[in-house]
Amino acid sequence: MNQTTVVPSGRLLSLDFMRGLIMVLLALESTEFYVYLHELCNRDSFSAAVMSQFFHNDWRGLHFWDLIQPAFMFMAGIAMTYSLTRQKEQGISWNERFLKILKRSSLLLFWGIIKRVHTPDWLSLNALDLTDILTQLAFTTIIAFLLFDFKIKYQILAAVGILLLTEFLYRFWSIPGFVAGFTDGRNIGSYLDYLWFQQKGNHYVFINWLPTAVHTLAGVIVGKLFMQFKQPLAWLVPAGIILLLSGYTLDFFEVTLIIKPIATSSFVLASLGFCCLLVALCFWWIDLRKHQKGLLFFQVIGMNSIFIYLFFEIVGRNWFNSYVIMLLSPMEILLGLSHHWFLVAAALATFAAEWGICYFLYRKKIFFKL
């Protein structure tokens, strides 16, 4: 295996594409686009089965939509590798870099809480929601940073250790009134939510940041592969296949079930396998084969990912979506559309407006970062 310590000078467009793709999918979800399309499908039809993949699986199993958060965390780890490497080359000390990470994590935590404001008592403990992507990323970012300067082999060992710790907590930490194991609403994660936030029977749990830290840490590792090796695919593809098979094997033999709401180790492994293979495919197709037509559509939204995410989650869900529907409502009768098809069209119009905002910022070279 040929190895080089030279950091690639060119920008990896495949990473921009993947980040943009994730944001496009999230933006469409925020407009209720998938909900409206699903309502148009006949029950038990093939189209309904396809559209069901754009919603979270209830408990055991894995839908396409269950991969979005891991991919978001994973890409954040890759971006962190490039950012921290650049800072080190600029002579920025470890303490200064750590303060930057603490500031970023604090802002992620703040915005992750603020974007969930929907009731007057949103700051009370029993209304607090700390399972959002941004709040989880606030914790996983710190863990990934603390392990950043370690060699790849030690980072892999740390990731394995995190998953083993998660297994131990869920399997062997028995609490009166709660069932030790992976029972919905009655596991160690649910108990800690009840203990800390007076919330009982939670489906998703706060301590998900512990196992999902592996997603961010794996992103850091993959970022190092891209920066240190001439042929990263020789490592990335086998790793993706092994991770995928490991996760599904654990689930198939019911050693550890694939469960996203509590991020079991089998879920982390399987989702990481998909992430690695998708990154490998995009790198091969875009950066090696030079198929780069149409990338601008994804780049403009991916390069302002945090801004647009907050925009469609806060402004979009609470106001903009409804405003666009109201604004376009005369077109429903004018064009003779059924109400469901009108809602699909309105969702696409909302997304187009949000993409347009990102395009304006892209042209003006305005990029918001935390």
Side-chain angles (χ1 to χ4, degrees), residues 60-179:
R60 181 185 177 181
L62 190 64
H63 282 183
F64 167 76
W65 199 249
D66 295 320
L67 298 174
I68 298 300
Q69 180 173 358
F72 191 101
M73 302 283 197
F74 183 72
M75 295 306 297
I78 296 178
M80 183 187 297
T81 303
Y82 284 86
S83 176
L84 290 178
T85 301
R86 186 166 55 249
Q87 290 177 36
K88 289 177 70 174
E89 291 176 341
Q90 293 170 350
I92 299 175
S93 69
W94 188 91
N95 288 341
E96 290 175 303
R97 283 180 275 132
F98 184 51
L99 287 176
K100 285 177 177 287
I101 287 294
L102 286 180
K103 178 182 176 182
R104 172 180 169 81
S105 295
S106 298
L107 288 171
L108 287 169
L109 186 60
F110 171 79
W111 286 112
I113 294 173
I114 288 295
K115 89 174 192 63
R116 291 297 184 96
V117 173
H118 53 81
T119 60
D121 64 341
W122 63 275
L123 260 182
S124 65
L125 287 177
N126 59 5
L128 203 58
D129 188 348
L130 295 176
T131 62
D132 178 76
I133 289 179
L134 296 186
T135 54
Q136 296 280 300
L137 187 59
F139 294 96
T140 68
T141 296
I142 293 175
I143 293 174
F145 174 84
L146 293 175
L147 294 167
F148 181 80
D149 289 328
F150 287 81
K151 292 181 179 179
I152 289 178
K153 62 181 179 180
Y154 296 122
Q155 291 174 332
I156 293 173
L157 287 175
V160 172
I162 290 171
L163 294 182
L164 289 176
L165 175 59
T166 302
E167 287 281 331
F168 173 81
L169 290 175
Y170 278 95
R171 288 180 181 277
F172 303 114
W173 197 337
S174 181
I175 309 105
F178 288 79
V179 179

Side-chain angles (χ1 to χ4, degrees), residues 231-301:
Q231 299 176 353
L233 295 186
W235 292 90
L236 198 53
V237 173
I241 294 172
I242 291 170
L243 288 167
L244 197 61
L245 291 177
S246 298
Y248 275 102
T249 299
L250 289 172
D251 180 79
F252 180 80
F253 289 104
E254 298 189 347
V255 177
T256 301
L257 305 182
I258 292 178
I259 304 173
K260 183 191 185 298
I262 55 175
T264 57
S265 57
S266 55
F267 166 75
V268 173
L269 293 172
S271 57
L272 268 183
F274 280 117
C275 289
C276 288
L277 292 176
L278 180 57
V279 166
L281 176 62
C282 292
F283 176 74
W284 174 78
W285 183 253
I286 295 172
D287 292 305
L288 296 184
R289 297 294 299 273
K290 304 299 180 182
H291 294 279
Q292 299 172 1
K293 187 177 180 180
L295 289 186
L296 182 66
F297 176 81
F298 298 96
Q299 282 181 299
V300 298
I301 196 168

Side-chain angles (χ1 to χ4, degrees), residues 50-70:
V50 171
M51 286 310 304
S52 70
Q53 291 296 313
F54 289 86
F55 300 88
H56 287 302
N57 190 51
D58 184 51
W59 191 245
R60 181 185 177 181
L62 190 64
H63 282 183
F64 167 76
W65 199 249
D66 295 320
L67 298 174
I68 298 300
Q69 180 173 358

